[in-house]
Amino acid sequence: MSGELGIVGPAVANETHTIAVDGHPDTRLRVYWPTSVRPEPGATALPVLVYFFGGGFEVADIDWVSWDAIYRQRAADAEVIVVAGEYSLSPEVTFPAQPEQCWSVFEWAAEHASELGGDPARMAIGGASSGANLAAATALMNRDRGNRPVRLQMLEVPVLDLTGGHLDTHDLKVGAPGLLLKRLVRALGRKYLGGHSASLPSASPLLAPSLRGLPPTVIYTSETDPLRGDGEAYVRALSEAGVPVTGMRLIGMTHSSIGVRHEVPAADHLHRDIVATLRTLHDDAVAYPSVFSDGIS
């Protein structure tokens, strides 16, 4: 099917696992290696990127052809192991199942990193849109529960405030008034949250009482995406919390155009920037050792 659609990633080794999640539905993950043959356990010590797809909490999975191609390409180009995590879709399954599933995927990846040919000291967490929300929630949960060393958090066009309070429609030609967009985001959040508060940190990471102790972060936003307000507010909030953070706004881009790199030059540049960022995980030196310090408040 992916070939028929013209969406094909490199022929890299991959395998799928189903894992149990305490108190919630089982979930799947797929491991992608940067080479056509899986390395023997202990033969390599590659960085590991745990990544969550976007789809408004309602669509997509790890079999989605476009996401599969992206995972393959990033693994090959950045020479990292990609662990693509799956989560249940709403409204059939609601919060907090999804952040708990993503936390379980991250924990599985960290615990099995060495046998996968990865390095548990070179972990990264990432996601796009709703997946970026869950990646940010996972990073917070890691800080508060396990505090495993994470070298990078990478969020693409993230939704981080399900109250809609940080939507940015100023000077955007979005074809809809800001009030309507806020209602749409809140309606999407209500279906996902299933009655839970949108102000919980694992639902809206931007509203967490403290962001101290989170890993160095790179956030990509699009100029004509109202959700750029979420991403850019998170850049400011992380910076104020002392977290090393970089924000990049892609001029002229929409929420979804970042995924069409073969048609949009800026999307191709984004891919290359992401690959370059992931390649820094190969560096032996830890750029920001304070990220792993104790005493988070």
Side-chain angles (χ1 to χ4, degrees):
M1 184 64 175
S2 59
E4 294 173 7
L5 293 173
I7 305 171
V8 181
V12 298
N14 63 93
E15 64 183 34
T16 305
H17 297 264
T18 299
I19 62 172
V21 181
D22 188 27
H24 300 284
D26 294 353
T27 194
R28 296 190 302 161
L29 60 87
R30 183 166 295 135
V31 183
Y32 296 85
W33 286 271
T35 54
S36 60
V37 178
R38 172 182 172 162
E40 292 295 325
T44 57
L46 296 171
V48 179
L49 168 66
V50 180
Y51 195 93
F52 303 106
F53 60 83
F57 301 107
E58 295 183 340
V59 298
D61 56 30
I62 58 174
D63 297 324
W64 207 262
V65 292
S66 56
W67 282 116
D68 177 72
I70 288 171
Y71 298 143
R72 292 171 181 271
Q73 197 69 59
R74 288 185 182 175
D77 290 354
E79 297 182 305
V80 301
I81 296 170
V82 175
V83 176
E86 193 166 83
Y87 51 90
S88 297
L89 302 178
S90 70
E92 292 78 11
V93 178
T94 58
F95 178 93
Q98 290 82 353
E100 291 295 343
Q101 290 171 326
C102 292
W103 161 255
S104 296
V105 168
F106 171 76
E107 280 287 282
W108 185 95
E111 290 172 0
H112 292 83
S114 296
E115 66 188 73
L116 297 174
D119 184 349
R122 300 172 192 265
M123 300 287 295
I125 300 174
S129 191
S130 57
N133 173 291
L134 291 165
T138 300
L140 283 167
M141 294 163 78
N142 174 62
R143 181 198 67 180
D144 296 339
R145 295 182 179 181
N147 201 25
R148 295 181 183 272
V150 177
R151 289 197 176 189
L152 172 68
Q153 176 178 222
M154 185 173 66
L155 309 177
E156 301 169 61
V157 291
V159 53
L160 297 164
D161 177 5
L162 294 182
T163 72
H166 285 82
L167 288 176
D168 185 357
T169 60
H170 182 65
D171 291 335
L172 301 186
K173 297 178 181 179
V174 295
L179 181 60
L180 176 59
L181 288 169
K182 184 174 288 190
R183 286 178 177 174
L184 288 172
V185 169
R186 286 175 174 171
L188 186 71
R190 281 195 298 272
K191 286 195 288 183
Y192 163 62
L193 292 170
H196 290 85
S197 172
S199 298
L200 293 170
S202 53
S204 297
L206 180 52
L207 305 183
S210 173
L211 299 176
R212 290 187 60 201
L214 289 175
T217 300
V218 177
I219 298 177
Y220 300 99
T221 61
S222 292
E223 181 189 25
T224 63
D225 177 10
L227 287 174
R228 79 176 194 194
D230 282 33
E232 293 174 9
Y234 207 48
V235 170
R236 297 184 184 95
L238 288 168
S239 179
E240 291 171 0
V243 176
V245 59
T246 298
M248 177 185 291
R249 181 193 294 184
L250 298 163
I251 302 301
M253 297 289 280
T254 67
H255 185 76
S256 58
S257 65
I258 64 168
V260 287
R261 57 180 293 252
H262 297 295
E263 288 77 29
V264 180
D268 182 62
H269 181 89
L270 172 62
H271 168 74
R272 289 182 280 112
D273 193 89
I274 287 171
V275 167
T277 300
L278 291 174
R279 281 186 168 272
T280 64
L281 298 171
H282 291 276
D283 296 343
D284 288 333
V286 178
Y288 307 105
S290 62
V291 157
F292 311 127
S293 63
D294 293 328
I296 297 166
S297 63

